[in-house]
Amino acid sequence: MSNQKNRKLSQRQFFFLIIQTQIGVGILSLPYDLHIAAKQDGWLSLIIGAFIIQFVLIVLWLLGKKYPEWDLFQMIEFLTGKWLGKVLSLSYAVYFTFVGALVLVLFGRMISGWILPNTPIWVITFLMTSVSLYLVCSGIKVVARFFTMLSALLLFLLFLLVFSLNELKLMYLFPVATSSWKELAAGVNSGMLAFLGFILILVIAPKVKGAAVDTLKTIFIAHWFVAIFYLIIVLISFTFFSTEELPLVSSPILYMLKSFEFTVVSRVDLFFLSVWIVSVTTTFTIYIYMSGVGLMRVFHSQNKKVFLIVTAAAAFFISFWPIGSQKTIDAFTSHIMTASYGMAIFLPFILYGLSLFRKKNAAGSER
Amino acid sequence: MSFFKFFSKHHSNDSSEDQKEIKQLAAGSTAKNEPQHPTSIKLSENIKYLLKNLNHSSDVKVRVLKDGQSALIYLESLVDQEKIQRTIFAPIEDNDTNSILGLPSGKKTTNLEETIPALLSGQVVYLENGTTTAIQFNATAHYSRSPDEPTNEKVLRGSHEGFVENLTVNVNLLRKRIEHRDLTFKYFKIGKKMNTNVAIAYMDGLADPKIIKMLEKRIKAITSEAIMSPGYIEEFIEDNPGSPFPQMLNTERPDKAVGNVMDGRILLLAEGSPTVLILPATFFMFYQSPDDYNMRWYTGTFVRLIRLASFLIAIGLPAFYIAIVSFHFEVLPDDLVMPVKSSINEIAYPPILEALVMVVIIELIREAGIRLPSPVGQTIGIVGGLVIGDAVVRAGLISNVMVIVIALTAIASFVVPSNEMSTTLRLLTFPIILAAGTLGFVGIVFALLFIFIHLTRLESFGVPYFAPIAPLQLKDLKDTFVRLPLFMMKTRPKDARPLQKGAMGESREWKKSEQSKKS
């Protein structure tokens, strides 16, 4: 009994799991994406996006609160019936695998373009896959411990950005709120996608100890931590580069850091990128984990390791497909982003709607 | 009145049973299913049996007394002649009793098989013609060196005692330090042929009984015939034998052992070895030294931080240097580019090869230095360190920056107070150097990720190895990166799973009362 209790995650670990999942590949290109969509008002879009996600999070929490013993896949099977449930769960698993592959693609592309141009990309993505697999096979408890430890690195990232404070020009943010609604909405779109990964809370909630209210609190704090982290990065990029310059730099933070020179080291961007690798690893690990759990539920198996290996391998091989050129990568990205709306926002809403009608059976015979 | 009578009567009836119980308690849990061989009434047959079972070994001594009517049998090599004189012959000469059979210090038995282990542990067996009783006397000789300070764990201030090869002396050293009834020892005999005495020690009511049970189970599961030292036991009972990291802390210092027992950890001692294992161990325990607690706490903290920095230097510095010179030269600021570049320009080999060669050379010098007597060892140090180091640079085989880097790395790896951890660090340098040589910073990051993931998932007796960092226990950081003043360490570290959390209450209340008096 006490053993069972010990195996559960604490609220603090839950918090770090969420933020490490959300902060990942996106941070390098987020300012650029926002700027392309909404010009200097991109940061407004980000805030609007954060509020919308906040609303989505409440729905996810309500859904999770109804079935505190179940994860996402068990809920799906209960709410939509056996066969439709299996199809949906499987599509979730496939979706997570594809997101994992996308993470690998973007990561491989960035490393290859920025530091290791002569190394074959598959070597880099293979290393990432194997590290994540090693981590995720140790169980979610170890993953949570590891993420908690790594979070100190986020402070290091922020610390590197401190040096830019002298060079920022708030003028670049003006004029405020002149973009059209359409542009702002496009910005909200890019902004919301940076928060993807919050679906994790449905997969992992049954493993977290504490009352539902505490969970909600943790989710909120984690969400706003990430939002503010993004906002800092976006604002620094927007005020360091002018509105004309930004469309030319696809990863503004790196270019900014590259321009600094200290007496001890130059090229701080390389250190930033090294720490960023860790952030990407955490994101990728969680997607493998979610996909593995999904497959495990679909096949009613207890052998998690096999499914984890399968999904990691699948993500690795899928990543070969679009990695060739920027064009295919962009297409791959936009398809997955579209799918994300359905999987991370639309479907949970429907599930919640269904759950309102299936209230009475919630006690659940299956476990 | 009648009640009283009844009570006393009851008591007297019970006395024989009581004696039996006392005997049982004294014998402990041993001697249940031992082989039996009744003592013969004939002396010659008994002697024959014993000699046969001891393979007529040359050090078995049979001393015939009373014109062949009785005999003393013992292993010459194990007993103290003085003690035989004192326990057996002196009382007879003093006319306290006229027969050895009547001596109170002897332990009677009728099972001849029982006397064999007794003989092997250094006892003297007395047999007499015409009786089936054999008597065992304790006359074991103790040869033990004095508890000197261990040479591999020296401290500046504090106790200079060290464990010795004798288990009894070691137990005595611990008992002397903790005068409390809770300090508990449990003895085991392991190694089917060697029958090594092994003891575990813990504070009852403080150490987690689950861990004790786990440890006992694992010790009893050992089926090896020969167990020489705790190093052997370690490999049989540790959680993950595939890990490069030591999962039990070795020490030869009683003060270190006692400190850990008071945290709720368990000691494992073995006959014949001065090394004591402390478990469950965590990574950061290997970076603590009794010296830390004898310094001002600022100094203690500073030294701790230096040691932990040495961990990063030992595993990371050569890799970092190689990554920079072979992949990311642009990381160096402008003023440094020329000196570094000019030093490595003339070298024929790539930096990764240079590094590997130098690391191996350092290991050679170290290994050569250990086995040699200390004056020769110093010579090796000078020849190896100075001559090779200097010549290799002049010959243009290795760059001088590389020599600096590798020398620094070697020194950093020796800063760790524990030799096991130090060797582990030096071993881990190799994969990281290889990773850095093939993929630069990216390689280093992945190699470090592997190592830290491993540290996070590693457990020592079910206790997370990398606590209190992962899982994070903020309270326990007080004795990890820093060393707070002792009166502030009010709780025991959680990673030892102690049953009582508090280690002390308020200890400096007098300060407040003094201040209020002043004002």
Side-chain angles (χ1 to χ4, degrees), chain A residues 264-282:
Chain A
V264 190
V265 283
S266 48
R267 291 298 302 272
V268 200
D269 57 312
L270 291 181
F271 295 98
F272 189 92
L273 210 58
S274 302
V275 174
W276 172 78
I277 294 175
V278 178
S279 284
V280 179
T281 311
T282 56

PDB file of all heavy atoms in Angstrom, chain A residues 264-282:
ATOM      1  N   VAL A 264      35.813  35.764 -21.386  1.00  0.00           N
ATOM      2  CA  VAL A 264      36.137  34.359 -21.144  1.00  0.00           C
ATOM      3  C   VAL A 264      35.771  33.485 -22.342  1.00  0.00           C
ATOM      4  O   VAL A 264      36.553  32.664 -22.797  1.00  0.00           O
ATOM      5  CB  VAL A 264      35.426  33.844 -19.880  1.00  0.00           C
ATOM      6  CG1 VAL A 264      35.961  32.487 -19.500  1.00  0.00           C
ATOM      7  CG2 VAL A 264      35.598  34.822 -18.745  1.00  0.00           C
ATOM      8  N   VAL A 265      34.553  33.649 -22.819  1.00  0.00           N
ATOM      9  CA  VAL A 265      34.133  32.872 -23.984  1.00  0.00           C
ATOM     10  C   VAL A 265      33.430  33.786 -24.978  1.00  0.00           C
ATOM     11  O   VAL A 265      32.817  34.782 -24.604  1.00  0.00           O
ATOM     12  CB  VAL A 265      33.143  31.741 -23.614  1.00  0.00           C
ATOM     13  CG1 VAL A 265      33.862  30.580 -23.002  1.00  0.00           C
ATOM     14  CG2 VAL A 265      32.056  32.256 -22.722  1.00  0.00           C
ATOM     15  N   SER A 266      33.522  33.427 -26.236  1.00  0.00           N
ATOM     16  CA  SER A 266      32.624  34.051 -27.208  1.00  0.00           C
ATOM     17  C   SER A 266      31.707  32.938 -27.708  1.00  0.00           C
ATOM     18  O   SER A 266      31.841  31.792 -27.298  1.00  0.00           O
ATOM     19  CB  SER A 266      33.435  34.662 -28.347  1.00  0.00           C
ATOM     20  OG  SER A 266      34.375  33.752 -28.813  1.00  0.00           O
ATOM     21  N   ARG A 267      30.805  33.285 -28.595  1.00  0.00           N
ATOM     22  CA  ARG A 267      29.844  32.305 -29.102  1.00  0.00           C
ATOM     23  C   ARG A 267      29.050  31.636 -27.981  1.00  0.00           C
ATOM     24  O   ARG A 267      29.036  30.407 -27.849  1.00  0.00           O
ATOM     25  CB  ARG A 267      30.557  31.236 -29.936  1.00  0.00           C
ATOM     26  CG  ARG A 267      31.113  31.755 -31.258  1.00  0.00           C
ATOM     27  CD  ARG A 267      30.035  32.274 -32.180  1.00  0.00           C
ATOM     28  NE  ARG A 267      29.032  31.283 -32.500  1.00  0.00           N
ATOM     29  CZ  ARG A 267      29.118  30.436 -33.513  1.00  0.00           C
ATOM     30  NH1 ARG A 267      30.168  30.451 -34.298  1.00  0.00           N
ATOM     31  NH2 ARG A 267      28.160  29.593 -33.775  1.00  0.00           N
ATOM     32  N   VAL A 268      28.348  32.442 -27.213  1.00  0.00           N
ATOM     33  CA  VAL A 268      27.510  31.888 -26.154  1.00  0.00           C
ATOM     34  C   VAL A 268      26.391  31.044 -26.739  1.00  0.00           C
ATOM     35  O   VAL A 268      25.835  30.163 -26.079  1.00  0.00           O
ATOM     36  CB  VAL A 268      26.906  33.018 -25.305  1.00  0.00           C
ATOM     37  CG1 VAL A 268      26.461  32.499 -23.971  1.00  0.00           C
ATOM     38  CG2 VAL A 268      27.904  34.129 -25.132  1.00  0.00           C
ATOM     39  N   ASP A 269      26.057  31.324 -28.003  1.00  0.00           N
ATOM     40  CA  ASP A 269      24.950  30.591 -28.625  1.00  0.00           C
ATOM     41  C   ASP A 269      25.183  29.085 -28.592  1.00  0.00           C
ATOM     42  O   ASP A 269      24.251  28.300 -28.474  1.00  0.00           O
ATOM     43  CB  ASP A 269      24.737  31.060 -30.054  1.00  0.00           C
ATOM     44  CG  ASP A 269      25.995  30.916 -30.876  1.00  0.00           C
ATOM     45  OD1 ASP A 269      27.055  31.339 -30.389  1.00  0.00           O
ATOM     46  OD2 ASP A 269      25.926  30.376 -31.991  1.00  0.00           O
ATOM     47  N   LEU A 270      26.454  28.672 -28.664  1.00  0.00           N
ATOM     48  CA  LEU A 270      26.740  27.240 -28.640  1.00  0.00           C
ATOM     49  C   LEU A 270      26.364  26.620 -27.296  1.00  0.00           C
ATOM     50  O   LEU A 270      25.887  25.494 -27.225  1.00  0.00           O
ATOM     51  CB  LEU A 270      28.222  26.987 -28.930  1.00  0.00           C
ATOM     52  CG  LEU A 270      28.639  27.300 -30.365  1.00  0.00           C
ATOM     53  CD1 LEU A 270      30.106  27.005 -30.560  1.00  0.00           C
ATOM     54  CD2 LEU A 270      27.799  26.516 -31.358  1.00  0.00           C
ATOM     55  N   PHE A 271      26.571  27.390 -26.229  1.00  0.00           N
ATOM     56  CA  PHE A 271      26.181  26.893 -24.902  1.00  0.00           C
ATOM     57  C   PHE A 271      24.660  26.857 -24.783  1.00  0.00           C
ATOM     58  O   PHE A 271      24.083  25.917 -24.246  1.00  0.00           O
ATOM     59  CB  PHE A 271      26.782  27.763 -23.804  1.00  0.00           C
ATOM     60  CG  PHE A 271      28.278  27.702 -23.777  1.00  0.00           C
ATOM     61  CD1 PHE A 271      29.041  28.688 -24.380  1.00  0.00           C
ATOM     62  CD2 PHE A 271      28.921  26.627 -23.185  1.00  0.00           C
ATOM     63  CE1 PHE A 271      30.418  28.615 -24.368  1.00  0.00           C
ATOM     64  CE2 PHE A 271      30.297  26.544 -23.182  1.00  0.00           C
ATOM     65  CZ  PHE A 271      31.050  27.541 -23.779  1.00  0.00           C
ATOM     66  N   PHE A 272      24.031  27.895 -25.308  1.00  0.00           N
ATOM     67  CA  PHE A 272      22.570  27.944 -25.293  1.00  0.00           C
ATOM     68  C   PHE A 272      22.015  26.727 -26.024  1.00  0.00           C
ATOM     69  O   PHE A 272      21.112  26.041 -25.553  1.00  0.00           O
ATOM     70  CB  PHE A 272      22.090  29.238 -25.963  1.00  0.00           C
ATOM     71  CG  PHE A 272      20.622  29.491 -25.813  1.00  0.00           C
ATOM     72  CD1 PHE A 272      20.134  30.237 -24.750  1.00  0.00           C
ATOM     73  CD2 PHE A 272      19.720  28.982 -26.726  1.00  0.00           C
ATOM     74  CE1 PHE A 272      18.788  30.474 -24.613  1.00  0.00           C
ATOM     75  CE2 PHE A 272      18.373  29.208 -26.590  1.00  0.00           C
ATOM     76  CZ  PHE A 272      17.899  29.958 -25.526  1.00  0.00           C
ATOM     77  N   LEU A 273      22.604  26.446 -27.183  1.00  0.00           N
ATOM     78  CA  LEU A 273      22.122  25.340 -27.994  1.00  0.00           C
ATOM     79  C   LEU A 273      22.340  24.000 -27.274  1.00  0.00           C
ATOM     80  O   LEU A 273      21.506  23.107 -27.347  1.00  0.00           O
ATOM     81  CB  LEU A 273      22.860  25.344 -29.342  1.00  0.00           C
ATOM     82  CG  LEU A 273      22.073  24.799 -30.518  1.00  0.00           C
ATOM     83  CD1 LEU A 273      20.782  25.571 -30.703  1.00  0.00           C
ATOM     84  CD2 LEU A 273      22.907  24.867 -31.773  1.00  0.00           C
ATOM     85  N   SER A 274      23.474  23.889 -26.574  1.00  0.00           N
ATOM     86  CA  SER A 274      23.745  22.646 -25.848  1.00  0.00           C
ATOM     87  C   SER A 274      22.684  22.403 -24.778  1.00  0.00           C
ATOM     88  O   SER A 274      22.219  21.275 -24.595  1.00  0.00           O
ATOM     89  CB  SER A 274      25.120  22.702 -25.179  1.00  0.00           C
ATOM     90  OG  SER A 274      26.109  22.936 -26.140  1.00  0.00           O
ATOM     91  N   VAL A 275      22.305  23.467 -24.086  1.00  0.00           N
ATOM     92  CA  VAL A 275      21.276  23.312 -23.062  1.00  0.00           C
ATOM     93  C   VAL A 275      19.920  23.047 -23.711  1.00  0.00           C
ATOM     94  O   VAL A 275      19.111  22.257 -23.214  1.00  0.00           O
ATOM     95  CB  VAL A 275      21.224  24.573 -22.179  1.00  0.00           C
ATOM     96  CG1 VAL A 275      20.072  24.488 -21.207  1.00  0.00           C
ATOM     97  CG2 VAL A 275      22.527  24.729 -21.437  1.00  0.00           C
ATOM     98  N   TRP A 276      19.728  23.665 -24.868  1.00  0.00           N
ATOM     99  CA  TRP A 276      18.467  23.470 -25.598  1.00  0.00           C
ATOM    100  C   TRP A 276      18.294  22.002 -25.990  1.00  0.00           C
ATOM    101  O   TRP A 276      17.185  21.464 -25.970  1.00  0.00           O
ATOM    102  CB  TRP A 276      18.484  24.389 -26.819  1.00  0.00           C
ATOM    103  CG  TRP A 276      17.360  24.197 -27.778  1.00  0.00           C
ATOM    104  CD1 TRP A 276      16.087  24.654 -27.640  1.00  0.00           C
ATOM    105  CD2 TRP A 276      17.417  23.518 -29.039  1.00  0.00           C
ATOM    106  NE1 TRP A 276      15.352  24.303 -28.735  1.00  0.00           N
ATOM    107  CE2 TRP A 276      16.137  23.606 -29.598  1.00  0.00           C
ATOM    108  CE3 TRP A 276      18.420  22.862 -29.739  1.00  0.00           C
ATOM    109  CZ2 TRP A 276      15.840  23.050 -30.850  1.00  0.00           C
ATOM    110  CZ3 TRP A 276      18.132  22.305 -30.958  1.00  0.00           C
ATOM    111  CH2 TRP A 276      16.858  22.397 -31.510  1.00  0.00           C
ATOM    112  N   ILE A 277      19.398  21.329 -26.301  1.00  0.00           N
ATOM    113  CA  ILE A 277      19.332  19.902 -26.638  1.00  0.00           C
ATOM    114  C   ILE A 277      18.629  19.139 -25.515  1.00  0.00           C
ATOM    115  O   ILE A 277      17.777  18.286 -25.752  1.00  0.00           O
ATOM    116  CB  ILE A 277      20.748  19.304 -26.835  1.00  0.00           C
ATOM    117  CG1 ILE A 277      21.411  19.929 -28.050  1.00  0.00           C
ATOM    118  CG2 ILE A 277      20.693  17.796 -26.977  1.00  0.00           C
ATOM    119  CD1 ILE A 277      22.845  19.479 -28.247  1.00  0.00           C
ATOM    120  N   VAL A 278      18.975  19.503 -24.277  1.00  0.00           N
ATOM    121  CA  VAL A 278      18.364  18.835 -23.128  1.00  0.00           C
ATOM    122  C   VAL A 278      16.857  19.069 -23.111  1.00  0.00           C
ATOM    123  O   VAL A 278      16.067  18.153 -22.885  1.00  0.00           O
ATOM    124  CB  VAL A 278      19.010  19.332 -21.828  1.00  0.00           C
ATOM    125  CG1 VAL A 278      18.357  18.687 -20.628  1.00  0.00           C
ATOM    126  CG2 VAL A 278      20.495  19.040 -21.834  1.00  0.00           C
ATOM    127  N   SER A 279      16.461  20.320 -23.389  1.00  0.00           N
ATOM    128  CA  SER A 279      15.030  20.635 -23.406  1.00  0.00           C
ATOM    129  C   SER A 279      14.301  19.826 -24.468  1.00  0.00           C
ATOM    130  O   SER A 279      13.174  19.368 -24.256  1.00  0.00           O
ATOM    131  CB  SER A 279      14.815  22.111 -23.686  1.00  0.00           C
ATOM    132  OG  SER A 279      15.105  22.859 -22.552  1.00  0.00           O
ATOM    133  N   VAL A 280      14.937  19.658 -25.607  1.00  0.00           N
ATOM    134  CA  VAL A 280      14.309  18.876 -26.676  1.00  0.00           C
ATOM    135  C   VAL A 280      14.204  17.410 -26.253  1.00  0.00           C
ATOM    136  O   VAL A 280      13.184  16.761 -26.488  1.00  0.00           O
ATOM    137  CB  VAL A 280      15.114  19.002 -27.979  1.00  0.00           C
ATOM    138  CG1 VAL A 280      14.471  18.176 -29.068  1.00  0.00           C
ATOM    139  CG2 VAL A 280      15.206  20.443 -28.406  1.00  0.00           C
ATOM    140  N   THR A 281      15.246  16.915 -25.620  1.00  0.00           N
ATOM    141  CA  THR A 281      15.218  15.522 -25.167  1.00  0.00           C
ATOM    142  C   THR A 281      14.018  15.277 -24.263  1.00  0.00           C
ATOM    143  O   THR A 281      13.319  14.272 -24.402  1.00  0.00           O
ATOM    144  CB  THR A 281      16.496  15.185 -24.383  1.00  0.00           C
ATOM    145  OG1 THR A 281      17.615  15.616 -25.127  1.00  0.00           O
ATOM    146  CG2 THR A 281      16.606  13.702 -24.136  1.00  0.00           C
ATOM    147  N   THR A 282      13.775  16.207 -23.343  1.00  0.00           N
ATOM    148  CA  THR A 282      12.657  16.010 -22.423  1.00  0.00           C
ATOM    149  C   THR A 282      11.336  15.949 -23.180  1.00  0.00           C
ATOM    150  O   THR A 282      10.499  15.100 -22.907  1.00  0.00           O
ATOM    151  CB  THR A 282      12.593  17.145 -21.387  1.00  0.00           C
ATOM    152  OG1 THR A 282      12.506  18.383 -22.081  1.00  0.00           O
ATOM    153  CG2 THR A 282      13.815  17.137 -20.512  1.00  0.00           C
TER     154      THR A 282
END
